[in-house]
Structure formats: C-alpha cells, structure tokens
Amino acid sequence: MARKSEVYTWRVSSAMKASLEEAARNTNRSVARLLDEIVAERLDATGQTNEETDSQRRLHVRAARFAGRFSGTDPVRSERAKARVRARLTERRARVR
C-alpha cells in the first residue's frame, strides 16, 4: 500500500462508528485500513481512481504554470499592489452609492 501523507476527516453517527469498529474487529483490521479498502473498492467500481487522478494531476500541472505570476513591465508592481487594490475598492464603493 502507498505511503500515506494526507489526512481526511468526516463526521459519522455513533451507530455508524460502532458498525465500522465491529466490522474492523471481525475482519482483523484497523478502522483506517477498512475505510481505505471500502473507498478503494467504491472508486474502482465507479472507474474514478486512475482516470480522475490523472485528469486532476494534468489540470494542476497546467494551472501551476500561471500561479503567482503577473505580467507587465512595471518593476515595482508588487510594491504598489496594496494601494492599487484599495483605490479600486474605494472607486467601486463610490460608484455604488
């Protein structure tokens, strides 16, 4: 099994938690491992495992090329950003009134 690096949490009813714990105990597994297997089976059954993951990975790679980039010729643009944003918001609020 792949090394785990992410955390995902959700709330369940006390009856669901008890059912999960009992199922894990009956199959000699931890609740975490049981949940991993249940989710993996569900994703495989719907065909979303590799296809969705690959699609998301490609989208993230394409989007990362543009993250945090600004175009333009103003070398101190980032230093003026705060003032420019506030000025635009002030103009916008003035127009609404």
Side-chain angles (χ1 to χ4, degrees), residues 49-87:
T49 338
N50 295 333
E51 198 173 297
E52 285 283 322
T53 303
D54 290 343
S55 174
Q56 285 298 308
R57 184 185 48 75
R58 284 192 304 273
L59 288 172
H60 283 233
V61 167
R62 289 177 62 193
R65 293 185 302 185
F66 304 103
R69 293 190 181 181
F70 292 99
S71 61
T73 57
D74 187 358
V76 289
R77 180 178 179 168
S78 62
E79 295 172 13
R80 297 182 187 158
K82 182 178 178 180
R84 292 180 71 185
V85 168
R86 286 187 177 182

Side-chain angles (χ1 to χ4, degrees), residues 77 81-95:
R77 180 178 179 168
K82 182 178 178 180
R84 292 180 71 185
V85 168
R86 286 187 177 182
R88 283 186 184 178
L89 289 173
T90 302
E91 288 173 17
R92 198 176 285 171
R93 287 185 191 121
R95 276 187 259 142

Side-chain angles (χ1 to χ4, degrees), residues 1-47:
M1 192 172 274
R3 188 167 195 268
K4 296 178 184 179
S5 62
E6 302 297 323
V7 175
Y8 190 89
T9 61
W10 69 90
R11 296 187 181 279
V12 295
S13 66
S14 55
M16 177 65 72
K17 181 180 177 187
S19 295
L20 285 168
E21 289 172 341
E22 183 179 349
R25 207 173 21 258
N26 290 340
T27 56
N28 239 2
R29 298 180 187 126
S30 67
V31 173
R33 184 169 188 138
L34 177 65
L35 287 171
D36 278 347
E37 292 172 3
I38 292 169
V39 171
E41 285 175 18
R42 176 65 179 159
L43 291 175
D44 286 341
T46 59

